[in-house]
Amino acid sequence: MGEKIHERNTKIYKPEIDICPFCGQKLSYRYTISNKVIQFSAGAYIRVKNLGYGCNHCEHNKEIYFSQTAAKFCIKGYTYSSKVIALIYYYKMKHYSREQICDIFFNLGIEISDRNVDLIYNKYAKQFNLDYKKNIIDNYDNMLKKYNQIRISIDSIRIEDIAFISIRNFFTGEQIGLHKFNYEDDFNIKKLLNEYISKELNITYIFTVREMFKVAIIVKELASDDCKIVAFEKH
């Protein structure tokens, strides 16, 4: 019932890549990966459909590809955008009570219970403790063995003086690492991203934030000339 009341419009996303990474033939629609109403930080309620595509031309026809933009908005297990989730962590980090956080969100037009504030914070906080160095090795090795290439997505969210940087496996959506920095800390942001991106690595595609954003500029500097950098769409 809540979705019918609050839903404003629907955004439909196809995979940003429409060519099979194995045979180079055009991908075709298979089924909808996710279809849910997401609350965004500006107070909008938008139904986001993430369409899954597959290849009908080679033996890898069971592989399903999806939109990185939609996946960035629709994090599995949440009905809030990635920025709303980061905002919860940010306010908790600043020692706001959950009641204060609920009040802030209420004024933004976002519905959330104080219980959900705690649940989301605890779940998100655990992601900063991922063994990202091991995840890099495991995910990159698996991608190279299976697809003969590496594709990742890098999302960066700025809240006041903090930059939250998330890196995910393009093919599976698995979170490889989640990090936070002072926004002006170019040195350590670049040092961190250099662990994920190297000119020697066979990184074919990187999906990232808007083109002129700080992190995107660093990514371009670190990536090889052959690497294609694709900006997320804005909803």
Side-chain angles (χ1 to χ4, degrees), residues 154 156 163 165 189 193 208-209 213-220:
I154 302 176
S156 179
I165 299 175
I189 291 175
L193 290 176
T208 186
V209 288
F213 194 76
K214 178 194 294 283
V215 170
I217 294 170
I218 295 174
V219 167
K220 284 185 177 182

Side-chain angles (χ1 to χ4, degrees), residues 49-166:
K49 291 186 178 182
N50 194 350
L51 305 185
Y53 276 58
C55 181
N56 297 329
H57 307 282
C58 69
E59 68 271 22
H60 299 281
N61 54 15
K62 292 184 178 179
E63 295 290 331
I64 300 296
Y65 308 95
F66 52 87
S67 166
Q68 296 301 305
T69 299
K72 161 179 147 59
F73 296 146
C74 303
I75 300 176
K76 189 175 181 180
Y78 298 99
T79 56
Y80 300 95
S81 72
S82 51
K83 186 165 185 180
V84 172
I85 297 167
L87 278 166
I88 291 171
Y89 182 89
Y90 176 80
Y91 288 127
K92 279 281 202 176
M93 189 173 66
K94 297 290 186 180
H95 308 295
Y96 283 63
S97 70
R98 60 186 187 178
E99 290 79 12
Q100 287 175 308
I101 295 171
C102 287
D103 287 343
I104 291 170
F105 283 158
F106 177 80
N107 290 329
L108 292 174
I110 299 168
E111 294 181 5
I112 190 167
S113 68
D114 53 2
R115 181 175 178 272
N116 258 347
V117 167
D118 283 346
L119 289 173
I120 291 172
Y121 168 76
N122 291 330
K123 188 174 180 180
Y124 191 69
K126 288 179 181 178
Q127 299 296 304
F128 291 102
N129 297 322
L130 290 173
D131 186 351
Y132 74 92
K133 292 187 178 182
K134 182 179 184 299
N135 285 346
I136 290 171
I137 294 170
D138 292 346
N139 278 268
Y140 286 19
D141 282 351
N142 289 338
M143 281 187 270
L144 286 171
K145 286 175 184 175
K146 188 169 185 178
Y147 303 100
N148 196 35
Q149 59 181 281
I150 298 167
R151 296 183 182 183
I152 59 175
S153 66
I154 302 176
D155 186 18
S156 179
I157 298 169
R158 181 185 180 184
I159 301 174
E160 300 295 338
D161 55 338
I162 302 295
F164 296 88
I165 299 175
S166 167

Side-chain angles (χ1 to χ4, degrees), residues 159-176:
I159 301 174
E160 300 295 338
D161 55 338
I162 302 295
F164 296 88
I165 299 175
S166 167
I167 295 90
R168 292 181 179 271
N169 181 319
F170 165 90
F171 295 103
T172 66
E174 178 184 344
Q175 179 99 5
I176 301 174

